[in-house]
Amino acid sequence: MVKSYLRYEPAAAFGVIASVDSNITYDSTGRFLLSPALEKVGVWHVRQGICTKRLAPAQASRGPSLAVTSIVSSPTSLVASGYADGSVRIWELESGICQTTLNGHKGAVTALRYNKLGSVLASGSKDNDVILWDVVAEAGLFRLRGHRDQVTDLVFLASDKKLVSSSKDKHLRVWDLETQHCVQIVGGHRSEIWSIDVDPEQRYLVTGSGDRALRFYTIIKDDVLDEPAASASIGDEISDTGVISAKSWDVLKEFGEIQRQSKDRVANLRFNTSGGLLACQVAGKTVEVYRVLDEAKSKKKAKRRIHRKKEKKSAKSKDDEVVENGDVNHNADAAEGDMEPSILASDIFKFLQPPLRASKKITSISFCPANAKGRLATVSLSLNNNSLAIYSIKDNAHEQESGTKQYDIAIEQTLAIDLIGHHSDIRSLSLSPDNSLLMSTSHNATKIWNPSTCSCLRTIDSGYGLCGIFVPNVPGNKYALVGTKEGIIEIIDVGSGTCVETVEAHGGSIHTIAALPDGSGVVTGSADHDVKFWEYQTMQKPGQESKHLTVSNVRTMKMNDDALKVVISPEAKYIAVALLDSTVKVFFLDSLKIFLTLYGHKLPVLCMDISSDGDLIVTGSADKNLKIWGLDFGDCHKSIFAHSDSVMDVKFVPNTHYIFSVGKDRLVKYWDADKFELLLTLEGHHAEVWCLAVSSRGDFIVTGSHDRSIRRWDRTEEPFFIEEEKEKRLEEIFETDLEGYVPQEEIPEQGVVALAGKKTEETLTATDVIIDALDLAEAESKQQQRGKVAAFQPNILMLGLSPSDYVLRALSNVHASDLEQTLLGLPFSDALKLLSYLKGWSSYANQVQLVCRIKTILLQTHNDQLSVTQSARHLLSDLEDVIPAIVKGYKDVIGFNSAAMDHVTQLLASKSDAPFHGAKAMLLEIRAKLAKRIDQRPETIGEKKRKKKQKKADEGHDKWDQ
């Protein structure tokens, strides 16, 4: 009889606050902060500092292919997330439901941006392409190709009619979305362009690259492209004929550049919602903040700059300006003073001191769209130590003592989210004897978790913990031991979450700690070549009433090399020690005499375990092999090439000969040590897996990784067979090879337009389903025409539907974003059959959009063959007579309803009691009139004194700047 096994499935992943592969962003309201958590998107309530929900793909985690690489929120309640496999998912934020999945990219999605209305989504990828998606129709519009390297950022311009894309190929490309072609290529960058952004009023576009310059471009509006003089922005020079040096169809005009303070490359550039601040995040620990000055202040700054320049010039070359007759040449200064000063980028964008400095390297920033009173802005940071930090930026208006430097802004950290996850790799995991608690260690903290609810119960500051264990036979799991890199044993009181005592145990790192089977003590192995035996004792510190646990050394074994792993057999007969010389030595536990030496590994043994019955010992090594040994004679039963990188941990399932192993190849593998067969491969981690813990009943396991996540895998009641799993693995390898082949195409310099979608398993399956439906419907129609009505027996596969409705049902089940690629796979004969059904389907009110899409795709795909096929002419003429009239009717209905809604809006506005309808526009108009009136009135004596005082203060600032 074929043996069956019970399947393990991923149950939970926790401990990740913000992963480093993607950006963070706020939702449209500013209440929630969206952060990447490997394959999930965490939704954090900003005020409460808690994670309210996680947006996770419905399908089981497939490892690194599903890592979130980009997040963007729409003006509505939608959120789009891009993934490493090239897919884009659109989520409803309130319900947490994935509305649609868009497949088009062949590489990881690196940039996402919504248009102003949130109806169109642009995505850029590592495959060098930009794809435009219709969010409402949930389908791709078109693909823009032209970049020679990864697309890094995207912005919409000109009422969403233009799109600007940046790339690592050092170029900006401006795309006209109406004509679907590239209208401008902007060069001049000396290194990769990492980020771009545009201010809310779309006056300036800023780019950041690997050098120290921020480059600014003015945006030429569509309504002034035909007027050369009007299209000249600040800083442009117009020739005598009134023609700008740039081409008339250019959208971006070079404005200038400013030098950054940091030498690191730019990682992210973002304007805040009001457009008054520009944040420049570098690939380090700082964020530089720039204030965007208005026109009046920028002109004033330009005049001051010119005045300082003239003063320096006159002071430096005073003697050179005196002509031979003793007169001074004032003509140049007079002419220069009469002209309007040219405004530079440095006059508009003012660097604010001090820059924002974080404790760790910053991976992403995001401005909060809702700003609190009294703050210039609120900015959130994601750090590379798995934490989030929120800072408030305030205007530093208060005066300081004379002689001290006055900062422009005050930066204050208002919230830090960092307690529910480790800041670095998880190096060890240990379950309590009753499986109710889980302990994890990292470089500076030890955390206690509830493995069932995945909640963090305690965080204890500690050293670099390399190993840990709960003290058995103590009620309530009261104590735990942690061995550190410094050679210290830390004794932790789990209930209070404190370290009650530290014992200097070894002169080197403590690599391993193992409990004695009788619960009387522990054994530790260290890099100082010692294996020490410790027994538990209780002690009372002076001045304290309660007693606490401690350990004392009772025996020491000297080894020839570093002890990397120590395990003890369940019956307390043997102790096995893995050494740095790639051997494993087995001793008698009572006498400590040598029993066996296990040779065979080519590199050091990093992990090992002994089965519950004491018959087998399994060792995992840096040579990527698992070796299964008999503990009676020390013979090697089997050597298995287990992982594609070092095997980091291995554990027996209690009371069985089943083995779990983890390695640096990110995989968790399940083995049968009797048959030497691989049972399951569990994918999910996004980096090296360091450690593993198995529950005492074997009903779940937990794994810890370099990606800072802890994952729980539960045993299900679903049986599986070894042969079935082998076939599945072979199919996956075959499919991966097919997907990996991408033919290279030559792309012209001006760029090309292509289809948005891509072939996937789903599209190929959908094509087969449609072909089967067409064949079945054709056979059913012929049978109806041939037989009598009374004797006709309908095919049960038709589900009681007519042939036409059955084909329509198959097409309706195809996802909107996959329809194009699905129909492209149909042969011409089936496309003709499909065209014959369109006339009848056009009478269905809810299928008009689907009919029009099918007709458009088939006509574009098979245009040449249809034009020369005699039988297709009557089909096309029928469609030409019917479909345009139906579409026009629906357009008229939509137009009528839209006009009626506008009329109702105007009617309600006229009847409203609100005194200021359109208050924002009216307020701006009132302010403009008031400013004009103030400029025109004569100055009073008080105003003259105030201006004189301000001028002196400005001169003081200028001297300070110098």
Side-chain angles (χ1 to χ4, degrees):
M1 184 177 178
V2 180
K3 186 175 181 181
S4 65
Y5 303 85
L6 293 180
R7 187 180 299 276
Y8 282 81
E9 292 284 354
F14 51 97
V16 180
I17 301 171
S19 51
V20 299
D21 296 328
S22 174
N23 63 301
I24 60 172
T25 186
Y26 279 90
D27 74 322
S28 56
T29 63
R31 292 175 55 210
F32 298 102
L33 180 64
L34 309 173
S35 70
L38 302 179
E39 73 275 8
K40 301 178 183 178
V41 178
V43 182
W44 296 87
H45 195 287
V46 176
R47 289 190 177 179
Q48 299 176 2
I50 60 173
C51 185
T52 58
K53 63 171 71 73
R54 292 190 183 272
L55 310 179
Q59 65 191 64
S61 177
R62 290 187 288 109
S65 61
L66 273 183
V68 177
T69 54
S70 185
I71 308 172
V72 67
S73 60
S74 74
T76 60
S77 61
L78 297 180
V79 172
S81 57
Y83 293 82
D85 61 354
S87 63
V88 178
R89 286 176 172 83
I90 298 178
W91 308 84
E92 175 64 42
L93 188 58
E94 293 180 2
S95 61
I97 297 173
C98 180
Q99 288 196 340
T100 184
T101 302
L102 307 171
N103 292 305
H105 289 292
K106 298 178 178 65
V109 178
T110 54
L112 289 172
R113 189 76 68 130
Y114 274 101
N115 68 344
K116 196 171 183 180
L117 296 176
S119 58
V120 176
L121 175 67
S123 63
S125 169
K126 284 186 177 179
D127 61 7
N128 311 345
D129 293 347
V130 178
I131 299 180
L132 275 295
W133 306 93
D134 188 336
V135 178
V136 179
E138 300 179 357
L141 296 175
F142 47 86
R143 181 192 301 262
L144 301 172
R145 312 187 69 184
H147 282 296
R148 298 293 194 268
D149 207 337
Q150 169 185 326
V151 178
T152 55
D153 212 344
L154 301 162
V155 290
F156 283 93
L157 295 180
S159 302
D160 302 333
K161 296 178 182 177
K162 302 284 193 301
L163 179 73
V164 182
S165 59
S166 64
S167 171
K168 285 186 178 181
D169 62 6
K170 308 177 187 178
H171 289 90
L172 293 175
R173 282 182 177 266
V174 184
W175 307 87
D176 190 320
L177 301 183
E178 293 180 336
T179 59
Q180 300 177 12
H181 74 283
C182 181
V183 296
Q184 185 181 0
I185 301 175
V186 180
H189 293 80
R190 292 185 288 274
S191 60
E192 298 94 339
I193 306 173
W194 289 98
S195 183
I196 61 175
D197 201 20
V198 64
D199 66 315
E201 296 180 3
Q202 295 197 350
R203 295 178 300 165
Y204 308 105
L205 182 137
V206 57
T207 65
S209 60
D211 54 25
R212 294 188 64 175
L214 289 180
R215 292 174 174 80
F216 293 87
Y217 300 86
T218 53
I219 300 167
I220 304 173
K221 308 292 183 182
D222 285 344
D223 53 353
V224 296
L225 281 175
D226 298 330
E227 303 175 14
S231 62
S233 54
I234 301 173
D236 280 340
E237 292 185 0
I238 305 172
S239 63
D240 297 336
T241 58
V243 179
I244 311 173
S245 59
K247 298 176 183 177
S248 59
W249 57 80
D250 284 352
V251 178
L252 299 179
K253 173 66 178 169
E254 188 173 352
F255 178 37
E257 61 182 43
I258 59 176
Q259 295 296 315
R260 298 185 289 108
Q261 306 294 315
S262 174
K263 295 181 180 179
D264 297 321
R265 71 166 178 86
V266 173
N268 206 349
L269 286 169
R270 286 297 176 263
F271 283 94
N272 68 337
T273 310
S274 64
L277 293 178
L278 170 65
C280 172
Q281 174 221 335
V282 301
K285 299 181 180 180
T286 61
V287 177
E288 299 176 3
V289 183
Y290 296 85
R291 191 194 296 274
V292 183
L293 303 178
D294 57 19
E295 188 175 356
K297 290 182 179 179
S298 57
K299 283 183 178 180
K300 185 177 178 182
K301 192 175 179 183
K303 288 180 180 178
R304 284 166 47 198
R305 174 175 50 78
I306 293 174
H307 180 66
R308 289 200 307 268
K309 187 177 179 182
K310 285 163 60 178
E311 284 183 346
K312 287 181 181 178
K313 188 177 180 181
S314 61
K316 186 178 180 181
S317 56
K318 191 174 181 180
D319 297 335
D320 297 338
E321 293 179 0
V322 179
V323 292
E324 291 181 357
N325 58 3
D327 295 332
V328 180
N329 186 7
H330 295 285
N331 295 334
D333 293 344
E336 198 172 328
D338 294 339
M339 291 177 59
E340 187 72 20
S342 59
I343 298 178
L344 305 179
S346 57
D347 299 327
I348 297 177
F349 297 90
K350 177 187 176 184
F351 175 66
L352 301 179
Q353 289 278 12
L356 192 158
R357 297 188 187 277
S359 58
K360 295 292 180 180
K361 186 177 178 182
I362 304 169
T363 56
S364 177
I365 63 170
S366 179
F367 275 113
C368 180
N371 199 15
K373 189 177 180 181
R375 298 180 184 176
L376 287 177
T378 300
V379 62
S380 293
L381 314 179
S382 66
L383 307 179
N384 72 340
N385 67 342
N386 190 30
S387 64
L388 295 171
I390 300 177
Y391 290 83
S392 65
I393 302 175
K394 298 180 181 179
D395 201 346
N396 202 3
H398 64 276
E399 297 183 359
Q400 297 184 355
E401 296 179 4
S402 59
T404 60
K405 186 173 180 180
Q406 168 130 13
Y407 288 123
D408 303 307
I409 53 176
I411 299 173
E412 180 185 0
Q413 183 172 347
T414 58
L415 180 66
I417 303 173
D418 58 357
L419 286 180
I420 65 169
H422 282 285
H423 293 174
S424 64
D425 304 18
I426 298 166
R427 298 311 301 258
S428 75
L429 290 172
S430 177
L431 282 165
S432 62
D434 59 357
N435 303 323
S436 62
L437 295 177
L438 171 69
M439 181 174 67
S440 60
T441 63
S442 66
H443 84 289
N444 64 350
T446 299
K447 291 184 181 289
I448 308 296
W449 307 82
N450 184 336
S452 300
T453 62
C454 307
S455 57
C456 182
L457 305 178
R458 298 284 187 274
T459 298
I460 304 106
D461 292 335
S462 67
Y464 198 135
L466 297 178
C467 53
I469 191 172
F470 279 95
V471 177
N473 301 332
V474 177
N477 304 315
K478 190 175 181 182
Y479 293 106
L481 304 181
V482 174
T484 68
K485 195 173 184 179
E486 295 79 17
I488 295 172
I489 296 178
E490 297 180 348
I491 303 172
I492 293 172
D493 188 331
V494 176
S496 62
T498 57
C499 179
V500 294
E501 189 177 354
T502 58
V503 178
E504 294 186 3
H506 289 274
S509 302
I510 301 176
H511 291 299
T512 177
I513 183 168
L516 292 171
D518 58 2
S520 61
V522 294
V523 182
T524 57
S526 170
D528 63 358
H529 302 187
D530 286 349
V531 175
K532 292 187 178 182
F533 292 77
W534 307 81
E535 69 175 14
Y536 300 129
Q537 294 179 352
T538 56
M539 68 171 291
Q540 184 176 0
K541 287 185 178 180
Q544 292 184 356
E545 296 181 1
S546 60
K547 296 181 179 180
H548 64 80
L549 187 77
T550 186
V551 292
S552 62
N553 184 18
V554 292
R555 282 195 297 180
T556 301
M557 272 201 310
K558 291 286 184 180
M559 311 303 296
N560 298 327
D561 216 327
D562 296 10
L564 301 181
K565 187 70 176 177
V566 172
V567 291
I568 302 171
S569 61
E571 72 278 9
K573 187 176 181 182
Y574 304 115
I575 177 171
V577 183
L579 301 178
L580 192 63
D581 60 4
S582 307
T583 64
V584 176
K585 296 187 181 295
V586 184
F587 301 88
F588 290 103
L589 185 61
D590 50 0
S591 63
L592 299 184
K593 290 184 178 180
I594 188 74
F595 171 56
L596 294 170
T597 301
L598 308 180
Y599 299 96
H601 283 290
K602 297 177 182 178
L603 290 173
V605 174
L606 304 177
C607 53
M608 60 181 176
D609 196 22
I610 297 176
S611 61
S612 301
D613 55 10
D615 292 342
L616 299 178
I617 179 171
V618 60
T619 57
S621 167
D623 61 10
K624 310 174 189 178
N625 290 318
L626 280 178
K627 289 185 184 291
I628 301 169
W629 314 77
L631 203 53
D632 45 3
F633 300 107
D635 55 323
C636 181
H637 293 181
K638 187 71 173 179
S639 180
I640 305 170
F641 184 75
H643 292 265
S644 59
D645 210 330
S646 302
V647 183
M648 299 309 299
D649 206 353
V650 62
K651 288 284 191 300
F652 274 100
V653 177
N655 304 317
T656 68
H657 282 181
Y658 303 147
I659 302 170
F660 278 101
S661 66
V662 297
K664 284 187 177 181
D665 58 358
R666 310 177 180 183
L667 300 178
V668 181
K669 294 192 175 183
Y670 185 34
W671 307 85
D672 187 337
D674 292 330
K675 295 186 175 183
F676 316 120
E677 290 279 1
L678 174 63
L679 305 180
L680 284 177
T681 299
L682 305 176
E683 297 183 57
H685 281 290
H686 296 243
E688 299 91 340
V689 188
W690 295 120
C691 48
L692 164 73
V694 183
S695 69
S696 58
R697 297 184 298 271
D699 54 344
F700 71 90
I701 67 167
V702 285
T703 53
S705 169
H706 177 72
D707 60 16
R708 288 83 180 268
S709 72
I710 301 173
R711 293 179 184 266
R712 193 183 85 234
W713 315 80
D714 288 356
R715 186 174 63 198
T716 64
E717 297 300 321
E718 178 190 353
F720 70 93
F721 301 96
I722 295 178
E723 294 301 323
E724 291 180 356
E725 291 302 313
K726 285 182 179 178
E727 289 178 8
K728 284 182 182 178
R729 286 195 288 271
L730 290 173
E731 288 176 4
E732 288 175 2
I733 293 171
F734 178 69
E735 289 168 3
T736 304
D737 291 342
L738 284 179
E739 291 175 0
Y741 174 69
V742 180
Q744 297 293 325
E745 298 179 27
E746 187 66 29
I747 302 172
E749 179 67 24
Q750 68 273 17
V752 294
V753 181
L755 298 176
K758 70 171 182 178
K759 281 187 179 180
T760 60
E761 254 187 274
E762 290 78 10
T763 60
L764 295 174
T765 304
T767 302
D768 292 338
V769 169
I770 291 173
I771 292 174
D772 292 342
L774 288 169
D775 293 340
L776 191 60
E778 185 181 17
E780 188 77 1
S781 299
K782 288 180 179 179
Q783 189 177 353
Q784 286 179 1
Q785 294 171 3
R786 188 169 54 248
K788 296 180 181 179
V789 177
F792 173 70
Q793 292 292 329
N795 192 337
I796 193 171
L797 297 177
M798 300 287 289
L799 304 176
L801 300 174
S802 65
S804 175
D805 291 345
Y806 183 71
V807 177
L808 180 60
R809 178 179 176 274
L811 280 164
S812 301
N813 290 334
V814 179
H815 196 277
S817 60
D818 296 335
L819 183 63
E820 194 169 32
Q821 289 293 329
T822 300
L823 295 179
L824 284 177
L826 291 177
F828 180 67
S829 58
D830 290 321
L832 276 179
K833 296 177 188 177
L834 200 55
L835 283 172
S836 64
Y837 290 110
L838 294 184
K839 183 178 178 181
W841 294 343
S842 61
S843 60
Y844 298 163
N846 59 339
Q847 299 295 346
V848 173
Q849 182 183 4
L850 178 63
V851 169
C852 292
R853 284 197 67 196
I854 293 171
K855 173 195 169 188
T856 304
I857 295 169
L858 293 180
L859 291 182
Q860 288 176 345
T861 307
H862 304 286
N863 179 58
D864 295 338
Q865 287 176 286
L866 287 170
S867 60
V868 297
T869 303
Q870 188 74 24
S871 59
R873 291 183 181 177
H874 73 278
L875 289 175
L876 298 178
S877 61
D878 290 344
L879 293 175
E880 187 180 5
D881 295 339
V882 175
I883 291 182
I886 295 174
V887 172
K888 185 178 182 302
Y890 280 104
K891 286 179 68 177
D892 292 342
V893 171
I894 293 171
F896 178 82
N897 292 336
S898 178
M901 291 175 68
D902 291 340
H903 175 70
V904 171
T905 303
Q906 294 174 6
L907 195 63
L908 292 174
S910 63
K911 292 181 179 180
S912 175
D913 295 332
F916 293 104
H917 181 66
K920 187 176 180 181
M922 191 171 289
L923 183 62
L924 292 174
E925 186 179 351
I926 292 171
R927 285 179 178 174
K929 288 181 180 179
L930 185 61
K932 189 176 181 182
R933 195 181 304 159
I934 291 172
D935 291 340
Q936 290 176 352
R937 74 179 184 183
E939 294 182 352
T940 61
I941 297 174
E943 288 175 349
K944 288 181 180 178
K945 288 182 178 179
R946 190 161 57 251
K947 284 191 176 182
K948 192 174 182 182
K949 189 176 180 182
Q950 182 66 33
K951 186 177 180 182
K952 288 182 179 179
D954 292 342
E955 289 175 355
H957 284 301
D958 295 340
K959 289 179 181 178
W960 179 263
D961 293 338
Q962 294 170 12

